[in-house]
Structures are given as structure tokens and as C-alpha cells.
Amino acid sequence: MRSITSLPGQLHATLSGTLKDLRGVLPKDHSLLQVVRHQFFEAPKPFCDCLHRLAFMDKASLGPDREGTTMPSVEERALLVLGNLTYTHKTILPRLVKEFEGAFPSCDTHLIQQDCQGVAEIYDTLERIVLHRYLAKKTIVFNGLVKRGMFTSGVDWVEGLDTLEIRDHIL
């Protein structure tokens, strides 16, 4: 199974095309440049919202399967979303920063980095949330076994036995 879909590439293509169109219309030192910069770096946020929706909505809420396709399971969607988030965060956003700085070199680099940092924080947060949920679902059975072994095994963990030796298989 692929871990990245075509969505991050489409986001990049759309924003690059928009930037190319703006470069032809907006002078490099125009007063609207700060507004354009801010809005340009706000654009990846709705994409992150869509990935959030894909990761956390149940299958029925996402709608019917297209003809000839099947909807990935919750675990598969979580992995796809993680792949797309990481790729967008680590590859697409730095490309967009370079492209924007190349198109509008008069724009304050510090402000560009600030805007990009805000977007990166959102992507980081969603990555952590999706990964935590995925790991929590995957470890449910394991956690049950450990809890059962600790609480119903008859071992008194407070007054446990002293270690007498270390066996070779533990090393």
C-alpha cells in the first residue's frame, strides 16, 4: 500500500500555479504583498483540516465507495493521513517557502518563516494526534494482556520477590 496519495502534489500544484499567476500581476514591492503572503500560507491549513476529517470520521460519514473502489480501513486511512501529513510538512511546505521567496524577494523573510512556522505547528499537532490514535488502537490487545497479567496473575507487585539471579535469555 502506498503511504502518500496525490493530494499533497495537487496542493503544491495549485499553490504554485496561484503564485505564478500572482507574480505576473502583483509587483514585487506592492503594498498588498503582506496580505498575499499571509493568505498564501493560510492555504495549507484547510488541507490539514481535510486530512483530519479523513483520519477521524467513520466510514459511513465519508460517503459511499466509488464504483470499483473500496474505502480503506480506519488503520489504513490513519497511515495514509500520516504519510500525507509528513510529506506535506517536510517536503511541500519548504518548497512553497522557496517558491514564494523567489517570486517576491522583497518580502520579509522573518514574516514568511513566522507564517510557515504556524502552519508547521498545526501539521505537527495533527501528526501527533493521528499517530497516538493509531498506536492506541493497535495496542489495545497488548494492553489487555499486560493488565490481566499484572492484576490477575496472583503476584503481589508491592511486596515482590527479590531478584536472585539474571538468566542468560534476559541479557
Side-chain angles (χ1 to χ4, degrees):
M1 180 176 84
R2 290 179 40 168
S3 62
I4 300 170
T5 65
S6 63
L7 294 176
Q10 291 174 10
L11 173 71
H12 180 252
T14 300
L15 291 177
S16 291
T18 301
L19 190 58
K20 191 179 291 185
D21 292 343
L22 284 171
R23 191 178 326 152
V25 182
L26 192 65
K28 293 183 191 276
D29 59 349
H30 196 274
S31 61
L32 288 176
L33 186 56
Q34 299 309 320
V35 174
V36 168
R37 173 197 45 79
H38 181 70
Q39 292 303 318
F40 183 78
F41 288 105
E42 285 289 310
K45 291 179 183 178
F47 179 70
C48 193
D49 289 340
C50 290
L51 291 176
H52 178 267
R53 182 172 184 235
L54 285 171
F56 291 105
M57 292 198 70
D58 61 341
K59 219 173 186 178
S61 300
L62 291 172
D65 293 343
R66 290 184 182 165
E67 189 175 313
T69 64
T70 58
M71 181 71 69
S73 68
V74 174
E75 290 84 13
E76 290 171 335
R77 277 190 287 140
L79 291 174
L80 283 169
V81 167
L82 276 173
N84 285 330
L85 280 167
T86 303
Y87 182 74
T88 302
H89 180 202
K90 304 292 184 195
T91 305
I92 300 297
L93 290 178
R95 282 184 195 167
L96 291 173
V97 169
K98 285 181 185 176
E99 289 176 20
F100 192 88
E101 289 173 339
F104 299 106
S106 64
C107 195
D108 186 2
T109 306
H110 178 70
L111 293 175
I112 292 173
Q113 292 303 324
Q114 256 184 334
D115 285 342
C116 192
Q117 183 64 33
V119 174
E121 287 174 8
I122 292 170
Y123 277 77
D124 279 338
T125 302
L126 185 55
E127 282 178 45
R128 274 193 313 275
I129 292 169
V130 172
L131 182 61
H132 177 73
R133 181 175 183 219
Y134 175 77
L135 291 175
K137 282 186 172 271
K138 285 297 191 180
T139 59
I140 286 173
V141 173
F142 177 74
N143 291 341
L145 292 171
V146 170
K147 285 180 184 175
R148 189 175 28 189
M150 288 179 68
F151 298 127
T152 62
S153 65
V155 175
D156 183 5
W157 295 100
V158 176
E159 299 291 328
L161 301 174
D162 291 333
T163 304
L164 302 176
E165 66 179 311
I166 297 178
R167 298 182 186 139
D168 289 339
H169 68 273
I170 295 176
L171 299 175

